[in-house]
Amino acid sequence: MKYVGKPIQRIDAYEKVTGFAEYAGDLELPGMLYAKLLLSPYAHARIRSIDISNALKIQGVVTIATGEDFPFRVGLYVNDRYILARKKVRWIGEPVAAVVAEDLETAEEAVELIRVEYDPLPPVLDVRDALKHDAPLVHEELGEYAHSPAFNPIPGTNIANRFVVKKGNIEDGFRKSDVIVENEFFMPQVSHVPMEPHVCIGQYLKDGSIKLWTSAQSPFAIRYILGYSLGIPLHKISVYVPYVGGGFGGKAGINFEPLVALLSKKAGYRPVKLELTREEQFMTAPVRQGFYGKIKTGVTRDGRIMAKKIFYAFDAGAYADYGVNIGRAAGYSCTGPYYVPNLEGESLTVYTNHPWGTAFRGFGHFEFLWAIERQMEIVAAEIGMDPVEFRLKNALLPGLTTATGEKLREDAGRVDQCIRAVAEKIGWGTPPVKISSSKVRAKGIAALWKAPAMPPNAASAAIIKLNEDGTILLSVGVTEIGQGTVTALAQIVAEELSVPVEKIKVVPFRHTDLTPYSWQTVASRNLFMEGRAVIRAARDAKEQILDIASQVLRTPKDDLVIEDEKVYVKGRPEWSIYLKDLAAGYVYPDGNTIGGPIIGRGYYVGSRLTYLDPETGQGYPALKWTFGAQAVEIELDEETGEVKILKIVSAFDVGKAVNPLLVEGQIIGGGVQSLSLGMWEEYRYDENGKMLNPNLTDYKIARAGDIPEEYEIVVIENPQKDGPYGARGVAELAMLSVPPAVANAIFHATGININNLPLTFENIWRALNKGE
């Protein structure tokens, strides 16, 4: 192939690195006003009264809104979230009121003058406590909330969704087991830490229309939820998304867009801008959910997994509008990339009085793979088997069935090849090495898998326009949040239409009035789904080109070739016509014209996907599965607990690397992000639920010096027949299993198992010195 499979530089690089890229924060509209939020100081409390009188006296204040002004709930999967807190607050940082003023400084001054009286309620701050029968209810009205049919909230409890999966006979499986091992695992809430905080501008027009300019991953989801919640026809809602400075799931679904739209209406239909500070981003924007897991595994002495009983509880925080899908995704993928003949799994999404959780890159999988890959290591040690051999013996291979009863297709990819690849590259088999009295070097391995977590009807579309000079315009709904998908899609167009990539422009913004539909930019689905849509759009355009060219060249379409920006007769390249001469229809010398503008249209919807049985979890949720494995070599100081990551090896079965350079960048970036999440990142709260580290001084993330000096990548290509040129998604996979690999290396170095994240030096030191 000429373009697909080639390491082409990102087509959006120039605008971004030179600062010419336009972001939502750069936008200034005529007559624009500025909003500031008053945040709750309580994790759980009734709102007795709100006094805005003194704030309204400040010159320059246009209006102030409270929850009573907007009695609407929003939510992607569960319609549970008020636009501003109404009747009660559910976390420290929940917006209680919003000031709209002529400038930001005035809005900030006025916020300080709002007085709110609260009646504190007992908060629930641990997901396990939230499940107790006498736990305070975060949502007493849970039974009233509209929700997708894929989810199962339990009214009268804090369970926003319960997902159950059953396969085989678990009692029989445990009876046939020689060894049974049970462990618990924990992971805290964390921040997405995008470089660009949440920014949105809204304008409500007098004719009932709404215009939004926002830093968002999912413009069509915003439009749909806003229309559903406010009862507004979708053609009256326009959502514009320029470049987005990172999302990682935190800008999926719907966030502050309804607020700015309704504030605009209250402020006399002027546009209103809300831009979070970094501290507000930590306290009031959505976070990654916390996680608690408990796994019971039964195995034979020769290393065959016979049964697993799995329990996952996700800390959704105050609202679960998107978060219910996280527990569901973890539920149907709960075994990791291993064959388990007998299984009972329960995955709960649970309300607490923490900040509200949403999607985070690889949602649900990063969390449960921490538990699964630690458990695999512990079980292997218990039966005295090499952990690589143990993983390979139980690897989920084509022909075997997943937890939901899906028979893995022959072209699904090979986790065993990924495990063997990282084992070879890390030099597996050598014992830990003491390099000083306190320092030891050791290695660890972990495997992974993931499928896009999406409804069966999730769709993508693409439009291709041939310009009069032969260049091409591609419009797609996938939002470019840094992942590079648009470059890969341009390569697909180039391959299909034989036009150089540099002559293809992917429209850099998304506008729901102009852009073809795409469900959401999440779940590593976009190269696969948009890629299929783009291929169909290109072939639709190609048919139109050949229809006109066959008349001009007086040759059947079957005898024509499109290559090097022209159409010619097979074997007679001199009988040709340039694409540019067909773009708007072909014009004969006398002015007569045939054909018309070339506009290709394509779409893709996954076939034969289903909702899952509510009693057993059986069904077909997966468009595709991507497999991988990661290995690390560490240097551990046993006196201080300090760990240095010397090397990471990552292997992924990507099906086909449409752009190897992008794949490499995703794998390295994802690996470093995974390392950061596993070793430093966590929200810390006091006993009242107050966040103690809402800034980048106290909330630690990886820095340049933490990046391993050696990073080796293995790209395995077992093409999936229905993927675009055989490709599968890989972006999220790159950050799923570095933490368990590090913890497994610590175990091999010391014999100590650490099952709680993060693996901070202090936490490692405490584990090494427990009881002393």
Side-chain angles (χ1 to χ4, degrees):
M1 289 183 283
K2 198 170 183 179
Y3 301 105
V4 168
K6 303 298 186 289
I8 292 172
Q9 293 283 349
R10 291 176 58 134
I11 62 176
D12 59 341
Y14 176 80
E15 285 187 285
K16 289 184 174 180
V17 301
T18 57
F20 283 103
E22 180 183 72
Y23 296 85
D26 298 323
L27 302 178
E28 298 288 336
L29 302 180
M32 192 161 73
L33 301 171
Y34 299 85
K36 198 70 180 175
L37 303 176
L38 175 69
L39 306 182
S40 167
Y42 290 97
H44 201 195
R46 300 279 178 200
I47 299 174
R48 290 183 59 189
S49 65
I50 303 178
D51 183 357
I52 61 174
S53 57
N54 289 331
L56 282 171
K57 295 175 184 176
I58 301 294
Q59 185 174 358
V61 171
V62 177
T63 191
I64 298 174
T66 69
E68 295 306 313
D69 293 305
F70 308 141
F72 314 103
R73 286 192 293 260
V74 297
L76 180 63
Y77 296 115
V78 177
N79 200 244
D80 67 351
R81 180 162 56 89
Y82 282 115
I83 294 168
L84 292 170
R86 191 163 179 258
K87 297 181 181 178
K88 75 172 186 176
V89 293
R90 293 177 169 89
W91 91 89
I92 294 178
E94 181 169 13
V96 175
V99 173
V100 179
E102 296 287 348
D103 56 72
L104 188 58
E105 292 76 13
T106 299
E108 289 172 339
E109 181 183 355
V111 160
E112 297 295 326
L113 298 178
I114 299 175
R115 296 291 176 261
V116 184
E117 289 189 24
Y118 297 95
D119 285 331
L121 297 169
V124 56
L125 301 173
D126 186 295
V127 70
R128 290 161 291 189
D129 292 337
L131 293 173
K132 294 176 180 177
H133 74 277
D134 58 348
L137 291 181
V138 180
H139 288 266
E140 295 88 346
E141 325 87 327
L142 179 56
E144 304 171 13
Y145 298 159
H147 61 86
S148 162
F151 301 99
N152 180 33
I154 311 296
T157 75
N158 286 313
I159 300 173
N161 182 55
R162 179 175 185 257
F163 179 88
V164 175
V165 62
K166 295 179 181 179
K167 177 186 175 187
N169 186 318
I170 194 165
E171 290 82 7
D172 187 54
F174 280 122
R175 276 195 301 269
K176 293 178 179 178
S177 301
D178 299 315
V179 176
I180 296 175
V181 179
E182 189 169 9
N183 286 290
E184 295 179 292
F185 307 89
F186 172 79
M187 188 179 294
Q189 287 187 328
V190 299
S191 172
H192 297 77
V193 202
M195 285 192 287
E196 175 202 33
H198 282 67
V199 185
C200 53
I201 303 168
Q203 184 168 20
Y204 207 115
L205 304 181
K206 291 183 179 181
D207 68 354
S209 299
I210 292 175
K211 291 184 178 182
L212 291 165
W213 297 260
T214 180
S215 169
Q217 294 178 224
S218 309
F220 288 94
I222 290 170
R223 185 182 68 167
Y224 178 78
I225 298 168
L226 199 58
Y228 175 85
S229 298
L230 303 185
I232 298 173
L234 297 188
H235 77 288
K236 284 183 167 286
I237 303 172
S238 300
V239 183
Y240 173 82
V241 177
Y243 280 112
V244 177
F248 309 120
K251 296 175 183 175
I254 192 166
N255 289 291
F256 300 95
E257 292 84 7
L259 175 60
V260 292
L262 293 171
L263 287 175
S264 170
K265 184 179 183 180
K266 199 171 189 315
Y269 302 100
R270 291 169 66 181
V272 174
K273 184 176 189 178
L274 175 66
E275 183 169 3
L276 299 187
T277 65
R278 180 60 64 180
E279 185 173 17
E280 289 169 337
Q281 182 75 27
F282 276 112
M283 292 189 65
T284 196
V287 304
R288 189 199 71 191
Q289 296 183 339
F291 170 80
Y292 166 79
K294 188 174 184 179
I295 303 176
K296 180 180 178 182
T297 306
V299 293
T300 60
R301 280 290 176 194
D302 66 350
R304 292 286 178 188
I305 295 176
M306 300 306 296
K308 274 186 184 286
K309 187 171 184 179
I310 292 172
F311 175 77
Y312 298 149
F314 286 85
D315 181 351
Y319 297 103
D321 69 336
Y322 202 121
V324 290
N325 201 31
I326 297 167
R328 174 180 175 271
Y332 68 69
S333 304
C334 64
T335 61
Y338 306 106
Y339 175 65
V340 179
N342 304 292
L343 170 70
E344 279 189 9
E346 184 179 23
S347 183
L348 306 181
T349 305
V350 183
Y351 290 119
T352 68
N353 293 115
H354 281 150
W356 61 290
T358 190
F360 192 110
R361 195 176 184 185
F363 62 72
H365 292 70
F366 182 86
E367 297 91 323
F368 85 78
L369 282 167
W370 162 248
I372 285 291
E373 290 301 312
R374 284 269 51 237
Q375 179 78 348
M376 291 294 287
E377 203 76 17
I378 295 167
V379 172
E382 188 71 24
I383 62 174
M385 180 175 283
D386 178 89
V388 170
E389 180 187 352
F390 181 55
R391 286 179 170 85
L392 291 172
K393 179 164 281 194
N394 293 285
L396 187 61
L397 300 177
L400 298 175
T401 54
T402 68
T404 66
E406 174 192 352
K407 184 178 178 181
L408 206 62
R409 52 193 290 167
E410 288 301 316
D411 59 348
R414 297 287 297 270
V415 69
D416 58 330
Q417 293 179 8
C418 297
I419 293 170
R420 287 190 173 96
V422 297
E424 177 187 347
K425 296 295 183 182
I426 204 70
W428 185 259
T430 58
V433 177
K434 274 276 192 181
I435 61 170
S436 73
S437 60
S438 65
K439 291 185 178 180
V440 59
R441 290 185 176 180
K443 299 165 184 176
I445 283 179
L448 56 100
W449 76 334
K450 188 184 181 301
M454 62 186 196
N457 64 341
S460 294
I463 294 173
I464 288 174
K465 294 193 287 185
L466 182 60
N467 297 321
E468 299 91 324
D469 62 352
T471 59
I472 290 174
L473 200 66
L474 169 64
S475 182
V476 288
V478 54
T479 304
E480 176 53 64
I481 55 176
Q483 76 277 41
T485 304
V486 296
T487 301
L489 296 178
Q491 289 176 252
I492 290 173
V493 175
E495 194 68 49
E496 288 288 325
L497 296 178
S498 193
V499 174
V501 173
E502 57 269 21
K503 292 193 175 183
I504 297 166
K505 178 181 179 179
V506 182
V507 179
F509 61 83
R510 308 293 172 261
H511 195 308
T512 53
D513 290 354
L514 307 171
T515 302
Y517 177 84
S518 184
W519 172 66
Q520 289 200 76
T521 303
V522 296
S524 295
R525 60 174 283 274
N526 293 104
L527 175 59
F528 193 99
M529 296 191 70
E530 249 79 2
R532 286 291 303 271
V534 166
I535 288 173
R536 288 180 173 177
R539 292 177 182 175
D540 183 31
K542 188 185 296 185
E543 282 298 304
Q544 297 172 47
I545 291 167
L546 294 175
D547 279 339
I548 303 172
S550 68
Q551 299 176 60
V552 175
L553 298 173
R554 292 172 294 170
T555 304
K557 287 197 299 183
D558 292 347
D559 290 336
L560 295 177
V561 176
I562 299 178
E563 194 171 330
D564 297 330
E565 303 176 71
K566 59 184 179 181
V567 186
Y568 64 85
V569 179
K570 291 177 183 177
R572 301 303 297 264
E574 68 274 17
W575 297 350
S576 64
I577 184 170
Y578 284 98
L579 293 182
K580 65 183 181 65
D581 296 325
L582 302 171
Y586 183 77
V587 182
Y588 285 100
D590 65 357
N592 182 258
T593 304
I594 60 171
I598 305 296
I599 302 175
R601 168 186 173 270
Y603 70 90
Y604 181 76
V605 180
S607 60
R608 299 183 66 83
L609 302 181
T610 67
Y611 291 121
L612 301 178
D613 185 278
E615 300 299 324
T616 66
Q618 298 301 287
Y620 295 88
L623 177 69
K624 59 181 175 61
W625 293 100
T626 302
F627 294 94
Q630 293 174 302
V632 300
E633 182 176 9
I634 68 166
E635 183 177 287
L636 169 65
D637 189 321
E638 295 177 287
E639 288 185 356
T640 66
E642 183 176 0
V643 169
K644 183 177 182 181
I645 310 301
L646 304 175
K647 180 178 181 178
I648 297 179
V649 179
S650 295
F652 296 96
D653 190 338
V654 303
K656 171 66 181 178
V658 174
N659 186 323
L661 194 62
L662 289 177
V663 171
E664 182 179 337
Q666 283 285 15
I667 291 173
I668 294 173
V672 173
Q673 184 179 36
S674 184
L675 193 64
S676 183
L677 290 165
M679 300 203 64
W680 293 284
E681 296 190 44
E682 64 175 326
Y683 277 139
R684 294 194 174 192
Y685 302 96
D686 67 14
E687 66 277 6
N688 298 313
K690 180 181 179 181
M691 188 183 296
L692 300 176
N693 55 338
N695 54 68
L696 285 172
T697 299
D698 300 317
Y699 182 96
K700 304 300 182 183
I701 62 174
R703 301 177 181 232
D706 300 311
I707 299 173
E709 292 184 10
E710 195 173 354
Y711 205 126
E712 194 162 354
I713 296 166
V714 182
V715 174
I716 296 168
E717 294 183 312
N718 290 303
Q720 182 159 323
K721 293 176 182 177
D722 60 344
Y725 295 95
R728 287 185 282 271
V730 71
E732 294 173 307
L733 278 291
M735 53 80 64
L736 293 185
S737 280
V738 173
V742 174
N744 293 342
I746 293 171
F747 169 69
H748 289 296
T750 66
I752 300 294
N753 280 306
I754 303 177
N755 292 343
N756 296 344
L757 285 183
L759 299 168
T760 62
F761 303 159
E762 178 181 345
N763 289 344
I764 295 170
W765 179 86
R766 290 186 183 280
L768 293 175
N769 291 276
K770 190 175 183 180
E772 292 187 11

